[in-house]
């Protein structure tokens, strides 16, 4: 970015003042290509922008939608939507059933709305001028964003309350100790992906034909650990995993014999999935 400094306030002749003004103007306009994004973000000075408008490159948009596996059952919400390219691509290129972009800058909303019209997706894509912290995200199956680290961290508690299984993709910025489920690099640009985990920490009672037992789980975001108490004996869970609302763990029922339990977390219960070795004949409820 070209630095522009104002000349000192000293007495000058009218001709000299005109000469300096012309020189300053020439320097300013020469710098415009380098500072186009910050200037564009400030065109409406009544709007307080937390994040300047910097477009996400198209190849990064493509990777973000790939990582989230956006398809025809998804509703995508793009936070800080700028010119609307991510929301538009989700519908036009990936067949998402709908998308919404949120931006606080009215200039960006107008631009995005026009871009959606030109792309022929106005019936499935909308853009709202509003504060992203006041936006209802509950209908989204996919959240995309290109914000700042501090904004991501401020938004994180809200994201963690979304429906388990909701997919989140961020361009450039992570969420600190909530480690991503996957990450990629596109021409030097980082992309991070998370799946909102179900809340499973605590004690669970497992009803099992071979004998009931309890499971005590600890949780840090999507990372889980725990023990099972079988016939009064506590054993560590074998390779426990949590991905969205899908949970999996192994229990050693006899020396060298481990049964895998795979289920779907629904509120205060876990229902078995077919791939479980105990499919169809076990259930778990919060203790």
């Amino acid at each position: 970015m070209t630095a522009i400094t104002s000349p000192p306030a000293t007495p000058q002749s009218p001709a000299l003042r005109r000469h300096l003004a012309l020189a300053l103007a020439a320097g300013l306009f020469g710098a415009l290509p380098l500072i186009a994004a910050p200037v564009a973000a400030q065109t409406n000075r009544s709007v307080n922008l937390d994040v300047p408008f910097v477009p996400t490159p198209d190849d990064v948009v493509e990777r973000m939608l790939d990582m989230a596996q956006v398809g025809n059952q998804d509703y995508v919400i793009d936070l800080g939507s700028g010119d609307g390219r991510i929301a538009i691509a989700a519908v036009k290129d990936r067949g998402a059933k709908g998308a919404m972009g949120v931006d606080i800058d009215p200039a960006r909303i107008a631009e995005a709305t026009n871009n959606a019209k030109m792309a022929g997706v106005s019936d499935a894509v909308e853009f709202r001028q509003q504060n992203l912290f006041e936006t209802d995200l509950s209908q989204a199956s996919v959240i995309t964003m290109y914000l700042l680290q501090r904004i991501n961290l401020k938004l994180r508690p809200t994201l963690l309350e979304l429906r388990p299984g909701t997919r989140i993709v961020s361009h450039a910025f992570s969420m600190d100790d909530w480690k991503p489920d996957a990450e990629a690099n596109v021409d030097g640009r980082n992309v991070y992906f998370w799946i909102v985990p179900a809340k499973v920490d605590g004690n669970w009672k497992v009803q099992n034909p071979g004998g009931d037992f309890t499971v005590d789980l600890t949780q840090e975001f999507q990372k889980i650990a725990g023990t099972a108490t079988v016939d009064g004996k506590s054993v560590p869970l074998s390779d426990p995993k949590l991905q969205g609302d899908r949970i999996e763990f192994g229990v050693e029922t006899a020396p060298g014999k481990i049964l895998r339990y795979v289920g779907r977390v629904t509120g205060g219960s876990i229902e078995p999935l077919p791939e479980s070795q105990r499919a169809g004949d076990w259930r778990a409820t919060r203790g």
Side-chain angles (χ1 to χ4, degrees), residues 113-127:
T113 300
N114 184 61
N115 287 342
K117 182 178 180 180
M118 293 177 63
V121 294
S122 295
D123 58 335
V125 181
E126 65 170 318
F127 295 95

Side-chain angles (χ1 to χ4, degrees), residues 100 102-104 109 128-136:
M100 178 177 75
V102 178
D103 204 296
I104 202 169
I109 295 298
R128 296 183 184 178
Q129 182 195 347
Q130 60 189 39
N131 189 320
L132 62 88
F133 294 106
E134 299 172 358
T135 299
D136 180 6

Side-chain angles (χ1 to χ4, degrees), residues 67-68 167-170 179-183 191-195:
M67 293 178 75
R167 288 105 73 199
I168 300 168
V169 194
S170 173
K179 302 304 181 184
D181 291 285
E183 56 186 292
V191 181
Y192 302 97
F193 172 73
W194 299 263
I195 301 175

Side-chain angles (χ1 to χ4, degrees), residues 158-169:
T158 299
L159 297 175
L160 284 166
E161 292 299 322
L162 293 177
R163 181 176 63 255
T166 302
R167 288 105 73 199
I168 300 168
V169 194

Side-chain angles (χ1 to χ4, degrees), residues 6-26:
S6 299
T10 56
Q12 300 158 357
S13 68
L16 180 57
R17 287 198 298 270
R18 285 196 298 273
H19 176 75
L20 289 173
L22 288 172
L24 179 60

